[in-house]
Amino acid sequence: MKLYLFFGSLIFSLTVFGQGLQRNYINPGPGYSQVVVTEVNGVKTMHVAGQVGEGKNLEEQLRAAFANLEKQLKDAGASFSDIVKMTTYIVKYKESDLDTFRRVRGEILGTVNMPANTLVGVYSLYKDHYLVELEAIAMISSD
């Protein structure tokens, strides 16, 4: 079976099931896994569930969420430098939050070769006191 990926006018074909797509569920929780690792054709892709963190303000929670993200990546055999895509959810987002987010992210991830990132302002997260949640996709060679 082939999976076709469309990027603009480019079409990429991956043989998925013929090469034995493998899945590994890391740090399962009630009804979800913290990380699902898929492996096909010599590439491992880590899909990291949203990570939150404790703190009294956005900056503290961002730092704690990045620490939790780092732990999940490490448990899956990856690191921050392997992240290719992030999605960030900030509760009751306002434009001034962007400066805090970029500063903290830059201190932790650096400021070059940044992953793709989508920042989404949301009304709330699963618990009222959380202000930010980070999701990530990372990729490494399985060799």
Side-chain angles (χ1 to χ4, degrees), residues 109-126:
L109 298 183
T111 57
V112 295
N113 299 324
M114 300 300 298
N117 188 84
T118 300
L119 175 59
V120 181
V122 296
Y123 177 75
S124 68
L125 296 171
Y126 80 103

Side-chain angles (χ1 to χ4, degrees), residues 88-93 120-125 130-133:
T88 305
Y89 303 95
I90 296 179
V91 172
K92 298 177 184 135
Y93 174 79
V120 181
V122 296
Y123 177 75
S124 68
L125 296 171
Y130 289 126
L131 302 174
V132 64
E133 185 169 340

Side-chain angles (χ1 to χ4, degrees), residues 35-134:
V35 185
V36 176
V37 179
T38 58
E39 183 176 352
V40 67
N41 297 330
V43 176
K44 287 184 181 181
T45 303
M46 292 81 171
H47 301 267
V48 183
Q51 301 297 304
V52 295
E54 300 295 330
K56 61 182 183 263
N57 58 42
L58 179 61
E59 180 172 342
E60 288 180 7
Q61 288 194 20
L62 270 167
R63 291 184 187 284
F66 271 110
N68 291 335
L69 176 59
E70 183 175 38
K71 183 217 180 292
Q72 298 305 325
L73 289 166
K74 184 177 180 182
D75 289 353
S79 67
F80 283 141
S81 64
D82 300 313
I83 296 173
V84 296
K85 171 71 170 91
M86 289 185 66
T87 304
T88 305
Y89 303 95
I90 296 179
V91 172
K92 298 177 184 135
Y93 174 79
K94 53 194 173 305
E95 206 170 321
S96 61
D97 294 336
L98 184 59
D99 293 332
T100 302
F101 169 69
R102 284 183 173 162
R103 181 174 44 78
V104 172
R105 182 187 62 180
E107 290 172 15
I108 294 169
L109 298 183
T111 57
V112 295
N113 299 324
M114 300 300 298
N117 188 84
T118 300
L119 175 59
V120 181
V122 296
Y123 177 75
S124 68
L125 296 171
Y126 80 103
K127 288 191 177 179
D128 290 340
H129 69 280
Y130 289 126
L131 302 174
V132 64
E133 185 169 340
L134 306 172

Side-chain angles (χ1 to χ4, degrees), residues 15-44:
T15 302
V16 176
F17 299 106
Q19 297 297 317
L21 175 66
Q22 298 175 26
R23 292 184 186 100
N24 187 15
Y25 300 89
I26 298 173
N27 300 332
Y32 72 103
S33 294
Q34 289 287 348
V35 185
V36 176
V37 179
T38 58
E39 183 176 352
V40 67
N41 297 330
V43 176
K44 287 184 181 181

